Amino acid sequence: MADDPGANRASVPGDPDSGESRPVTFHEAFAQAARNSGIGAVTPGEAPTSSSLLKAIGGVRGLIESILPGLAFLVIFTVTKNLVLSVSAPVALSVVFVIIRLVTRSAVMTAVAGLLGVGISAGLALFTGRAEDNFVLGIVINVVCLVVLLVSLIARRPLIGIIVGLLVNDPGGYRTDRAKGRVVLVATWCWVGLFATRLAFEVPLYLTAQTELLGYIKLILGVPLYAGMLWVTWLLVRAAYSKTRPAASAEPS
């Protein structure tokens, strides 16, 4: 498959037997990213299950890869206060995760992304000599996500509505159906609350250099809160997309 020149090209929509292909468009790439996201693990209208929730956060392996590096930093720093050792251990673990995925021929990009994030965080902490700077990248990512969500709300294009619309091939449905519009609006605000909550706890701890407490909070508000928010989002979306509803002319406020 690696030698197939058309491996990274998509068939022309509506003409599957023509044999022709074209480059993947931005819209198609964004739709695929939505399908690969946590929300995409459950088809809108379906009831979420514990297994689908586990799949959405990457399965058991993904859960371990998400939690273990941060836990390693927290434990080692709390016990030794050695910055070099504390940031080196998560990097080493992330390298092992990448190697295991390569050996087992599993999807490697999530592990590579994790290694990149851990490596940048470690580099920042070593460069400044401040252990709390190991958390700067995570704080910046939360700020960016919060800004993107707020901009989508200001533009009256709630991000959850865009993602769900791509998943069900109904990109404008939330703008014409009042029920769908209300649901994606509430769901988007819920995600705003998630990122705002993280920042409300993490930024003051970072500014006061409370590294150990910051590490604990990051673990608590990380995967567990993310998984809970996915569950809530699925339930909200299911309520509006479980059956066809009559369209309403007004957009959600």
Side-chain angles (χ1 to χ4, degrees):
M1 293 298 294
D3 296 329
D4 181 5
N8 295 321
R9 301 169 72 88
S11 299
V12 176
D15 191 14
D17 300 323
S18 66
E20 298 179 2
S21 61
R22 59 172 173 74
V24 176
T25 65
F26 174 79
H27 182 275
E28 291 164 345
F30 193 87
Q32 185 59 48
R35 286 188 287 272
N36 292 337
S37 68
I39 296 174
V42 172
T43 302
E46 292 182 355
T49 62
S50 57
S51 60
S52 61
L53 180 62
L54 183 61
K55 177 183 176 182
I57 58 179
V60 174
R61 178 184 291 184
L63 195 60
I64 292 173
E65 292 175 353
S66 299
I67 294 177
L68 200 54
L71 183 60
F73 171 87
L74 179 59
V75 171
I76 294 173
F77 185 79
T78 300
V79 173
T80 69
K81 296 297 188 293
N82 186 309
L83 177 59
V84 175
L85 183 60
S86 300
V87 299
S88 297
V91 173
L93 282 172
S94 298
V95 170
V96 170
F97 294 151
V98 172
I99 293 174
I100 291 175
R101 284 184 176 266
L102 288 172
V103 171
T104 58
R105 298 181 182 274
S106 305
V108 73
M109 287 309 299
T110 53
V112 171
L115 173 59
L116 183 62
V118 169
I120 292 174
S121 297
L124 285 171
L126 291 174
F127 179 76
T128 64
R130 291 157 39 99
E132 61 269 24
D133 285 341
N134 186 62
F135 301 99
V136 167
L137 180 61
I139 292 174
V140 170
I141 290 173
N142 283 311
V143 170
V144 171
C145 291
L146 179 61
V147 169
V148 169
L149 286 163
L150 289 174
V151 168
S152 76
L153 289 167
I154 293 171
R156 299 172 64 85
R157 301 293 186 273
L159 185 58
I160 300 303
I162 296 173
I163 294 174
V164 173
L166 290 171
L167 290 175
V168 301
N169 195 28
D170 183 22
Y174 70 92
R175 298 178 58 198
T176 56
D177 187 309
R178 288 182 180 274
K180 293 177 182 178
R182 285 193 295 268
V183 161
V184 299
L185 187 63
V186 170
T188 303
W189 274 112
C190 285
W191 284 95
V192 167
L194 179 146
F195 293 111
T197 299
R198 287 179 176 175
L199 292 171
F201 280 95
E202 294 176 10
V203 171
L205 292 175
Y206 168 77
L207 294 176
T208 54
Q210 300 186 57
T211 305
E212 293 95 333
L213 187 53
L214 179 55
Y216 284 115
I217 292 296
K218 186 174 177 62
L219 287 175
I220 294 171
L221 299 182
V223 174
L225 188 59
Y226 172 75
M229 191 57 63
L230 276 180
W231 190 273
V232 170
T233 302
W234 284 340
L235 293 176
L236 287 171
V237 169
R238 178 176 180 245
Y241 286 83
S242 58
K243 60 182 179 179
T244 302
R245 297 173 181 271
S249 58
E251 293 185 15
S253 60

